[in-house]
Amino acid sequence: MSSLTASKAWTALQSHYHQTKNYSLRDAFKRDINRFNKFSVNFNEILFDYSKNRITDQTLPLLIDLANHAELNVKIEAMFSGEKINTTEHRAVLHTALRNKSNHPVYVDGQDVMPEINRVLAKMRTFCASVRSGEWKGYTGKAITDIVNIGIGGSGLGPKMVSTALAPYSSAALKVHYVSNIDQANIVEVLKPLSQKLLCLLSPLKCFPRKRR
C-alpha cells in the first residue's frame, strides 16, 4: 500500500477540502431543508449531529474512499479479533471487548478474555452501586460524598467526558473532581474545600479503599 498522503484518495479529499474552505453553513441549510436528517444519526437516545460541519454530499464518499485505501475494515477486524495491533507495546487493544454485550469470545494468545472482563465489570458494578447508595463508608464511618479522579490525558479527559455526558443520571449526593496535573498545586487546590469523606480513584483504577464494617 502506498503512503496514505500520496494516494489518489487523499489528493481527492484534499482538493475537496480546499473547495469547501469558504463553505457557508447558513446557505447550505437554506439550499437543503433535509440537511439535518441527511447528516445526523440516532443511537437510541444519543443524537450524533454532524450537519453543522463543513461537509457536502461529496464529502462522505471521499472519506470512505480514503478509509478503503487505508484498509480500515481489515484493521477494525484485527482489533475486534484481539490481534496485537498496539505496535508500541505489542499488545491487543481490547476497548471493544469491554463493550462486548454479546459476550462473543475474544481470544488473545489463545485465551478467551471475556470471563475475566465480565468478572471485573461485575465487581465494578457492585462497588459503584454501594458507593452511590451510601453503603460503602469511608474510614470515618460516613458515606462517601466526593470522588477525586486522578489521571492525565485519556485517564482524565475520558472519565470527565463520561461523567459530564451522563450528568442527568448521576447521583445528587456525589460530587466528582479531577486532578490532571503532576504539579502538586492541582491536587492541593482540589482537596482544600473537601472534607475527609472522599474517595480517590487512580486512573487506571488499581485499588479500592478498604470498606469499613
Side-chain angles (χ1 to χ4, degrees):
M1 182 177 68
S2 62
S3 171
L4 189 66
T5 55
S7 67
K8 292 182 179 179
W10 179 277
T11 302
L13 189 60
Q14 191 172 48
S15 175
H16 174 67
Y17 163 74
H18 290 300
Q19 292 171 6
T20 59
K21 267 193 171 182
N22 298 319
Y23 192 69
S24 169
L25 285 176
R26 190 185 299 275
D27 292 341
F29 275 96
K30 286 181 179 179
R31 288 193 301 269
D32 186 357
I33 60 174
N34 292 315
R35 182 177 175 84
F36 169 75
N37 294 327
K38 188 185 300 180
F39 299 126
S40 64
V41 180
N42 281 290
F43 299 96
N44 297 321
E45 297 179 359
I46 300 175
L47 170 65
F48 176 44
D49 175 17
Y50 55 99
S51 64
K52 298 175 183 64
N53 287 273
R54 201 169 58 207
I55 61 176
T56 71
D57 291 334
Q58 289 76 44
T59 307
L60 291 182
L62 289 171
L63 286 170
I64 291 173
D65 285 344
L66 184 64
N68 290 336
H69 176 79
E71 298 181 344
L72 180 61
N73 59 329
V74 176
K75 294 178 173 63
I76 290 174
E77 179 60 29
M79 179 173 66
F80 274 81
S81 300
E83 293 185 26
K84 297 178 180 180
I85 62 173
N86 182 336
T87 55
T88 303
E89 301 177 5
H90 190 59
R91 60 189 298 182
V93 179
L94 298 176
H95 304 84
T96 52
L98 295 176
R99 298 161 179 80
N100 181 17
K101 290 186 177 182
S102 68
N103 212 31
H104 186 77
V106 176
Y107 294 97
V108 178
D109 293 331
Q111 181 177 354
D112 181 12
V113 299
M114 289 311 302
E116 179 65 8
I117 286 177
N118 290 331
R119 185 190 68 80
V120 174
L121 288 176
K123 184 178 180 180
M124 291 172 61
R125 186 178 296 109
T126 300
F127 169 67
C128 292
S130 61
V131 171
R132 286 171 64 94
S133 68
E135 178 187 356
W136 190 290
K137 310 297 183 184
Y139 77 94
T140 61
K142 298 178 180 179
I144 302 295
T145 59
D146 295 85
I147 298 174
V148 179
N149 183 87
I150 303 174
I152 295 177
S155 296
L157 294 175
K160 191 171 186 178
M161 180 195 71
V162 171
S163 62
T164 300
L166 299 179
Y169 308 96
S170 64
S171 169
L174 286 172
K175 297 180 178 64
V176 185
H177 313 271
Y178 297 89
V179 174
S180 301
N181 197 313
I182 59 173
D183 191 321
Q184 65 178 3
N186 188 192
I187 194 168
V188 168
E189 292 304 313
V190 168
L191 297 182
K192 188 182 295 183
L194 305 183
S195 72
Q196 294 178 331
K197 299 176 294 180
L198 60 85
L199 172 65
C200 288
L201 298 180
L202 299 177
S203 296
L205 190 64
K206 294 183 178 178
C207 60
F208 292 120
R210 289 186 177 180
K211 185 176 181 182
R212 184 184 178 91
R213 296 293 182 182

